[in-house]
Amino acid sequence: MKKLLNTLFVTTPDVYLSLDGENVVVKQEDKVLKRVPLHNLESVCAFGYTGVSPALMGACADRNVAITFMTKNGRFLARVIGEDRGNVVLRKEQYRISDDDRRSAAVARNFILGKIYNSKWIVERAIRDYSLRLDAERLKRVSLSLSETMKFVRSVEDLEVLRGLEGAAAVQYYSVFDDLILQQKESFHFHGRSRRPPLDAVNALLSFLYTMLSNDMKAALEAVGLDAYVGFMHRDRPGRASLALDVMEELRAVMADRLALSLINKKLINGGGFCQKENGAIIMDDDTRKQVLQAWHERKQETITHPYLNEKISWGLVPYVQALLLARYIRGDLDEYPPFLWK
């Protein structure tokens, strides 16, 4: 359990939430695990089919404290909130920003700053840890190029220019991604991003992890009351969770790319777990998919210190914290959206 930004995250399995006076009480069987004053909360986010008493639900509804129910893996189930509030004000402001290209660019450039910064961190860490095995000078040139791109991004007010800079940075980063694959080179090689369909095992793995991340990001945005389908950089398209794609940009390298490299370099998966379809697409077999899913959920349990809040949380809560920060920015509680800049 963790209280962040006036939100109580309940991640302990098999617990029950009840009301005692003006306090939320978290119980496991007959043991009280935590008591939190209700007046300190804006929302409760419960993972894993947590039970909630009718009295607590009624008290939360009266005080406009939202209760969000998620599966233990982070899939959104439902959100309960009193009739007086909802999220109409928050969403109307989100739509206003989305309809204004200049305001959209002001938010989107921070997503892209986070993406480039974290991509640069992946490259810098490889230089630090494997300088004798890699062409360190080549990687340093890419790192310097990413730093230069960030300088331009900081002042961009045009979405098309921002998209161009993001694309150029992605080309630079992916140009050395194959260098970061240190094991099983005969089965895992990367010569550029291919999506629909993925044309090699690395792209198949990345696409699967990006899908998992986008699902988590979509659930997080829905949990805080934002519309996951109305974005700022990714524009509206039927069926596409554009805002989820926006916010996950800054998390791709540190949550998905790092795990992909770890799975390959530690030989937790192998080339035999991938097969080619008639159209040339490379897909994972069921056993490999299960291994990747297990590794994904294990990684989400690992604890980090959030670089903006300076508090310890699990990786799995990072999308929810970023969604909360974005909601606060849209409401006007923050002057600027703080991207996730991993250290």
Side-chain angles (χ1 to χ4, degrees):
M1 283 160 293
K2 190 75 176 176
K3 181 173 172 288
L4 292 166
L5 300 170
N6 300 107
T7 296
L8 175 63
F9 291 95
V10 182
T11 55
T12 306
D14 303 319
V15 297
Y16 187 76
L17 307 183
S18 61
L19 183 69
D20 182 11
E22 289 295 309
N23 297 294
V24 178
V25 179
V26 184
K27 293 182 179 179
Q28 192 172 48
E29 296 180 348
D30 295 327
K31 182 181 178 181
V32 175
L33 302 181
K34 194 176 186 71
R35 301 173 70 92
V36 181
L38 190 55
H39 68 266
N40 287 344
L41 296 176
E42 291 181 1
S43 62
V44 177
C45 191
F47 294 78
Y49 305 103
T50 303
V52 179
S53 73
L56 177 58
M57 292 184 74
C60 287
D62 288 342
R63 294 162 176 78
N64 291 322
V65 176
I67 304 176
T68 304
F69 296 93
M70 322 286 291
T71 69
K72 65 179 181 180
N73 294 330
R75 182 171 59 84
F76 178 82
L77 293 173
R79 190 168 189 267
V80 180
I81 194 167
E83 62 179 358
D84 292 335
R85 179 179 168 186
N87 290 283
V88 63
V89 175
L90 175 64
R91 290 197 177 202
K92 284 182 72 174
E93 185 61 18
Q94 177 189 352
Y95 301 151
R96 291 189 191 101
I97 296 173
S98 180
D99 286 338
D100 186 323
D101 283 357
R102 186 167 180 172
R103 294 183 70 192
S104 289
V107 188
R109 69 187 175 208
N110 281 13
F111 300 146
I112 301 309
L113 276 173
K115 177 179 183 176
I116 300 174
Y117 180 97
N118 291 327
S119 298
K120 173 182 164 64
W121 179 82
I122 295 287
V123 174
E124 288 286 342
R125 183 164 181 171
I127 296 170
R128 184 194 71 189
D129 294 345
Y130 305 107
S131 59
L132 298 179
R133 300 180 62 180
L134 299 171
D135 184 347
E137 290 304 315
R138 181 166 178 258
L139 268 65
K140 286 178 181 177
R141 288 195 296 271
V142 168
S143 176
L144 180 61
S145 174
L146 294 174
S147 295
E148 291 298 316
T149 303
M150 281 193 285
K151 293 178 183 178
F152 291 110
V153 169
R154 287 189 179 96
S155 59
V156 168
E157 296 183 351
D158 183 280
L159 281 172
E160 286 304 316
V161 174
L162 180 61
R163 293 187 184 104
L165 290 170
E166 185 272 336
V171 169
Q172 285 291 306
Y173 170 63
Y174 282 134
S175 72
V176 294
F177 195 80
D178 189 64
D179 299 44
L180 309 183
I181 300 172
L182 304 174
Q183 301 289 338
Q184 307 187 84
K185 297 291 285 189
E186 69 284 353
S187 300
F188 295 98
H189 45 80
F190 184 87
H191 302 302
R193 187 80 176 101
S194 57
R195 299 171 178 82
R196 301 180 185 90
L199 299 178
D200 56 59
V202 177
N203 272 292
L205 178 58
L206 289 175
S207 290
F208 184 73
L209 290 171
Y210 291 159
T211 297
M212 297 296 296
L213 178 58
S214 68
N215 289 339
D216 284 359
M217 198 70 249
K218 179 175 177 289
L221 293 166
E222 290 172 342
V224 302
L226 288 167
D227 189 334
Y229 290 86
V230 178
F232 304 128
M233 189 175 79
H234 292 83
R235 308 313 284 172
D236 298 348
R237 182 184 298 173
R240 182 172 74 175
S242 296
L243 186 59
L245 296 176
D246 280 355
V247 189
M248 70 174 274
E249 291 289 358
E250 63 200 75
L251 303 178
R252 285 177 185 265
V254 289
M255 291 191 71
D257 296 359
R258 282 181 66 223
L259 180 57
L261 292 169
S262 179
L263 287 167
I264 296 168
N265 290 335
K266 292 182 178 180
K267 299 183 179 180
L268 299 176
I269 60 174
N270 59 67
F274 296 80
C275 61
Q276 187 174 34
K277 298 179 69 176
E278 291 181 0
N279 66 350
I282 303 296
I283 61 171
M284 285 185 281
D285 63 23
D286 288 342
D287 288 341
T288 301
R289 189 177 297 107
K290 289 176 183 177
Q291 288 175 307
V292 174
L293 280 170
Q294 181 180 347
W296 175 254
H297 293 306
E298 288 174 355
R299 179 61 60 89
K300 285 166 63 175
Q301 303 306 313
E302 294 178 8
T303 301
I304 63 165
T305 299
H306 191 280
Y308 178 76
L309 300 180
N310 198 31
E311 290 196 45
K312 289 188 178 298
I313 62 171
S314 67
W315 271 111
L317 288 184
V318 170
Y320 297 89
V321 172
Q322 295 309 118
L324 282 166
L325 291 170
L326 180 59
R328 288 200 164 194
Y329 165 74
I330 291 172
R331 287 194 186 101
D333 297 334
L334 294 173
D335 293 333
E336 191 173 10
Y337 167 73
F340 183 85
L341 305 177
W342 186 230
K343 300 175 181 177

